[in-house]
Amino acid sequence: MAQLDSLDMAVMVLLLIGTAAYFTKGTYWAVVKDPYALSYTTAHALKGQTTKNISQKLEESGKNCIIFYGSQTGTAEDYASRLAKEGASRFGLKTMVADLEDYEYDNLDTFPEDKVAMFVLATYGEGEPTDNAVEFYEFITSQDVSFSQGGGLEDKPLSNLKFVAFGLGNNTYEHYNVIVRRVNDALVNLGAHRIGDAGEGDDGAGTMEEDFLSWKDPMWSELAKRMGLEEREAVYEPVFTVIERADLSPDTATVYLGEPNKSHLEGLSRNPYNSHNPYIAPITESRELFTVKDRNCLHMEIDISGSNISYHTGDHIAIWPTNSGLEVDRFLNILGLAHKRDTVITVKAADSITKVPFPTPTAYDAVVRYHMEICASVSRQFVASLATYAPDENSKAEMTKLGSDKEYFQEKVSSQYLNIAQLLEIIGNSKPWPTVPFSLLIEGIHKIQPRYYSISSSSKVQKGKISITAVVESRQITGGPHILKGVTTNYLLALKEKQHDDPNPDPHGLAYRINGPRNKYDGIHVPVHVRHSNFRLPSDPSIPIIMVGPGTGVAPFRAFVQERAALATAGETIGKTVLFFGCRKQAEDFIYQKEWAEYKGALGDAFELILAFSRDGPQKVYVQHRMKENAAMINELLEQKAYFYVCGDAANMAREVNSTLVNIIVNQRSLPESKAEEVVKAMRSNNHYQEDVWS
């Protein structure tokens, strides 16, 4: 055999190295990191390895516009993304969207003066910042705030900072948009320069979207003038690249079929369970609370004993919903994706800063079913962006008109509560819209959000189980082509039907895939996490309490009374415990009727249940009417430092209850109305008036 010379040997070695490199690429090197592969704790620990300095991040990434969001339900995050996209496409800004909790704020005094910061901030609960904005809010509004270069309030350390602000609030709450107002004031007091007005969106009036649209256009004009920007024709530039993967199928073990992260994909989910990582909890009990067939109210017991999840009486449980098969099919059909529903896709962000809102590789069906809020109301701005992809000229003209005419959009879309697939069906006469880029759908449709329910059990009585009480939403829209169905409550109804041995649980024809991805929810399970609340009983059980909770607003008060009954049985002294409960008819929707009698047995005269049945008599009677009838008792308890609680509808009931309480104080104490209002405000400020309300 001929001897190999040194050159031959070198060539062979290089060939072997090259071959090994080719076959190990993506396995041992050049591995694309999966942002959903880590537990939430690990992911946040790794955040510390990248810079939290805002100015440094802008320089490293080559960005000149950062849009921060403080979001609880995803809307503020969506608006931040829309601002980033519009700023880039219309004005050529180099934008990035940022979660407030990912950064430190003491270096805002080094913010470059040729860049701009935007703040999109929701007000949550009773004038509180959203969970991810708490640290920023407390820092920026602190009286002794200090920055990296030593400047304090009197030094105007943020004089280089140009900023834009928009708030999301609800005028049915007392502290309407207070977070954006306070942050705006704090920034201005620190020397920052606001561009345009501080916008405010009002979810209570149903005008959030139009408030946002009417605010942003003059804001962009002012920003362009201040920063010397030139507007250009907006061209769609995908934020995401969608790649169809012929080499993968839904049977491939590494393909996500609805799992929220890699630990769930591998069947190894673990603590901490939170808004990024749900616990797949068994439902141990479910039952119907109403006695009529055309309406449903569910009681469910959710077992958390194997999770290390803890809760306190008054907290909320989050249910992670699944879209119904009916709406998933409608969406895939109208967008020409039905034949590709099981096609596997990889989604990549255009830059390293943007995060794909769900784990990939995955399938079209899984994205639509588990990750997109396809049943949500439609934004006028998104409708306008779809006009280009209409299947015919008539549809294009109609979409253009809807996108540009506020009143027309309200009449044809908003008032009918149409979701995007329903709208496209109507506009195109059921013709498919196959040219709409899937990347545009990812960008334009919110990520599906957990729904929060007041826990209706006491943590002292059943710490390993959580009770929930939920009315199933299903109502005909006046003049509308469809019945509006609650995504999550109908999902829970399907689970209840399955638990009661219905072989094909199909509430209202919705057809939920209740076994979950890869049958991981089989055996009646639901993804959940717990969100802690400030809605609390007084620590001293001898302090009297007054509770007002009509309908399912009684949920947390079942927990309160349950806890006080258990304490009474254990020999504790219990203060007067008064519950005002209302419903339509005693024979139909008087929920927990037998339980109230049992609690009365344990609490004796300490417990008083006062009822209002709005449709059992010739005149409608509500909880506020019963409050007026018991004005003397209410005033007497308040003078004993009773806590006053309200749970339920914010838009009408909670306001009426507040007004009624003011009137009671006026009449019982012979005070002018202004003084009575001050009394109620003082109760709120010291947590003696607490609300758990929704719109």
Side-chain angles (χ1 to χ4, degrees), residues 126 217 301 432 600 676:
E126 291 304 301
D217 286 335
E301 297 286 344
K600 178 70 173 177

Side-chain angles (χ1 to χ4, degrees), residues 326-327 329-331 333-334 395 419-433:
L326 176 72
E327 293 300 336
D329 291 346
R330 187 198 308 275
F331 186 93
N333 286 331
I334 200 63
S395 299
N419 64 42
I420 188 60
Q422 290 167 341
L423 176 63
L424 297 184
E425 278 184 339
I426 292 168
I427 299 301
N429 292 316
S430 297
K431 290 180 187 176
W433 297 55

Side-chain angles (χ1 to χ4, degrees), residues 229-403:
L229 305 174
E230 290 188 12
E231 185 170 0
R232 60 188 187 182
E233 184 178 353
V235 178
Y236 174 58
E237 298 174 356
V239 175
F240 303 104
T241 301
V242 180
I243 305 163
E244 295 186 352
R245 301 285 301 275
D247 59 320
L248 298 173
S249 79
D251 295 328
T252 306
T254 55
V255 172
Y256 292 87
L257 297 182
E259 296 91 348
N261 54 47
K262 193 169 185 180
S263 64
H264 281 270
L265 179 68
E266 296 174 343
L268 301 171
S269 72
R270 52 190 176 270
N271 253 327
Y273 297 110
N274 48 40
S275 59
H276 302 267
N277 183 42
Y279 173 61
I280 311 304
I283 297 174
T284 58
E285 179 189 339
S286 58
R287 67 180 190 270
E288 177 62 58
L289 296 176
F290 287 173
T291 60
V292 288
K293 292 185 177 180
D294 62 334
R295 293 188 297 141
N296 298 95
C297 183
L298 305 177
H299 176 90
M300 286 186 159
E301 297 286 344
I302 296 172
D303 187 353
I304 57 168
S305 59
S307 67
N308 288 325
I309 291 175
S310 63
Y311 76 100
H312 299 287
T313 306
D315 282 347
H316 302 123
I317 185 169
I319 305 293
W320 290 48
T322 296
N323 285 314
S324 70
L326 176 72
E327 293 300 336
V328 171
D329 291 346
R330 187 198 308 275
F331 186 93
L332 293 173
N333 286 331
I334 200 63
L335 288 155
L337 292 168
H339 67 290
K340 297 201 294 186
R341 69 190 311 146
D342 293 325
T343 299
V344 174
I345 57 174
T346 294
V347 180
K348 296 181 178 179
D351 60 45
S352 60
I353 294 171
T354 304
K355 182 181 178 183
V356 179
F358 46 81
T360 70
T362 184
Y364 286 114
D365 183 286
V367 175
V368 176
R369 191 178 301 275
Y370 295 104
H371 298 296
M372 282 183 167
E373 197 77 81
I374 61 171
C375 294
S377 56
V378 187
S379 83
R380 185 159 60 87
Q381 188 176 13
F382 184 50
V383 168
S385 72
L386 295 176
T388 304
Y389 308 100
D392 54 56
E393 288 302 315
N394 288 337
S395 299
K396 182 177 181 179
E398 182 68 3
M399 291 291 277
T400 301
K401 183 177 181 180
L402 286 168

Side-chain angles (χ1 to χ4, degrees), residues 545 547 561 576-581 600 603-611 630 633 637:
I545 62 173
M547 302 163 285
V561 177
K576 188 71 174 179
T577 303
V578 179
L579 171 61
F580 289 89
F581 171 75
K600 178 70 173 177
L603 288 163
D605 291 341
F607 179 52
E608 187 166 351
L609 177 63
I610 299 170
L611 302 168
N630 291 273
M633 176 190 67
L637 292 175

Side-chain angles (χ1 to χ4, degrees), residues 75-130:
T75 307
E77 182 179 0
D78 174 63
Y79 283 175
S81 298
R82 286 163 61 179
L83 288 171
K85 183 178 173 182
E86 188 171 354
S89 64
R90 283 181 63 187
F91 299 98
L93 285 168
K94 304 298 182 184
T95 58
M96 64 177 285
V97 177
D99 187 333
L100 275 167
E101 70 180 355
D102 290 347
Y103 292 90
E104 295 169 347
Y105 324 110
D106 62 347
N107 47 59
L108 273 174
D109 58 341
T110 65
F111 196 90
E113 60 181 343
D114 62 341
K115 297 175 172 44
V116 64
M118 299 186 179
F119 296 90
V120 185
L121 304 171
T123 296
Y124 165 65
E126 291 304 301
E128 302 157 26
T130 58

